[in-house]
Amino acid sequence: IFVATLGEDAARQGFLLVQQVRSTGIEAELDYTRASLKSQMRHADKVNARYVLILGENDLREGAAQLRDMATKEQSSVPLAHALQAVKEVCGRTKTCVDH
């Protein structure tokens, strides 16, 4: 899974989420350059991430994150408190959210 963040607080939360996801054995990446969302989405596509978890400042205020399926382009809001569980559900038993 690729975690895209917008803003300082979102970047901090994204870093924590990536660590949590990795601790379950699922591959996770984060853009540390604080690039634009468009650039981060291109990077996610380049590394063949099947799913992207998008965290913005507004999302944080609402206690949510956006989970985007890169294959279908469908996107849904997930409660931030349940983001790790949502990632585990979409990544399944393969422990990867990468399309090879």
Side-chain angles (χ1 to χ4, degrees):
I1 191 150
F2 188 90
V3 178
T5 62
L6 297 166
E8 290 293 320
D9 291 336
R12 280 191 286 276
Q13 184 65 43
F15 179 78
L16 294 174
L17 272 169
V18 164
Q19 297 305 312
Q20 291 173 343
V21 170
R22 287 177 179 165
S23 74
T24 69
I26 297 172
E27 296 175 30
E29 285 199 39
L30 175 72
D31 185 307
Y32 296 97
T33 66
R34 308 271 166 75
S36 69
L37 180 60
K38 184 176 182 178
S39 177
Q40 291 181 69
M41 297 301 280
R42 279 195 304 261
H43 184 176
D45 196 43
K46 183 177 178 181
V47 298
N48 296 319
R50 173 65 193 268
Y51 295 94
V52 177
L53 191 65
I54 303 167
L55 292 171
E57 297 294 327
N58 290 338
D59 294 312
L60 288 181
R61 280 192 287 279
E62 295 170 7
Q66 305 302 313
L67 185 61
R68 181 176 178 92
D69 183 324
M70 296 294 280
T72 66
K73 307 299 183 205
E74 291 179 15
Q75 187 167 306
S76 60
S77 181
V78 296
L80 198 51
H82 299 256
L84 179 59
Q85 184 60 37
V87 168
K88 287 164 64 175
E89 287 174 12
V90 298
C91 293
R93 293 177 301 224
T94 63
K95 298 293 185 191
T96 183
C97 284
V98 177
D99 284 338
H100 294 284

